[in-house]
Amino acid sequence: MTSSLLAMMKQIRQTKKNLLVRFQMNELGELKHFLGLEVNRTEEGLFLCQQKYAIDLLQRFGMLECKPISTPMEANAKFCAHVGQDLQDRAMYRQGTLFYKKSDEIKIVGYCNADYAGDHDTR
């Protein structure tokens, strides 16, 4: 081993000792899962994946068999507060999860109304 690698390993051991003085800890080995993320370590670096999380969400909302679309809503739609219908099941939309399946991969995508001038009610 090189001297820089040995020094880094010594630093890691010392940091663990310092943390043990203040916190109760267990050595769990190499990181595989963290907060819904799958973690894969390769020669090129760390790769994070949320495929399992996305599949669990699709299953929870009964959408495993849904077909992919490029945009999950009508393009250039104009929304007004006084037009439309109330949601039948509001609980599904209160869980903070907005996603769609694209091609063969599952991608989580968030949307934001950044077109404030396009807001027909308040501009």
Side-chain angles (χ1 to χ4, degrees), residues 25-98:
M25 295 177 15
N26 293 321
E27 181 68 41
L28 300 176
E30 189 173 314
L31 180 64
K32 296 289 184 191
H33 293 90
F34 181 73
L35 298 177
L37 292 170
E38 298 169 51
V39 181
N40 295 311
R41 187 183 306 258
T42 68
E43 294 277 328
E44 292 92 32
L46 290 176
F47 290 89
L48 306 177
C49 176
Q50 288 188 300
Q51 183 174 2
K52 182 185 180 322
Y53 175 72
I55 289 171
D56 289 346
L57 287 175
L58 288 169
Q59 188 171 17
R60 182 181 348 155
F61 292 115
M63 299 178 69
L64 273 175
E65 301 302 319
C66 288
K67 295 179 182 177
I69 58 174
S70 60
T71 305
M73 62 182 282
E74 177 187 338
N76 302 315
K78 303 293 180 195
F79 297 103
C80 296
H82 60 281
V83 177
Q85 297 176 326
D86 288 341
L87 296 171
Q88 296 297 318
D89 181 11
R90 295 176 186 207
M92 179 174 161
Y93 296 93
R94 289 183 178 159
Q95 297 185 24
T97 307
L98 201 64

Side-chain angles (χ1 to χ4, degrees), residues 79-83 116-123:
F79 297 103
C80 296
H82 60 281
V83 177
Y116 299 109
D119 184 337
H120 292 282
D121 297 314
T122 61
R123 298 263 187 237

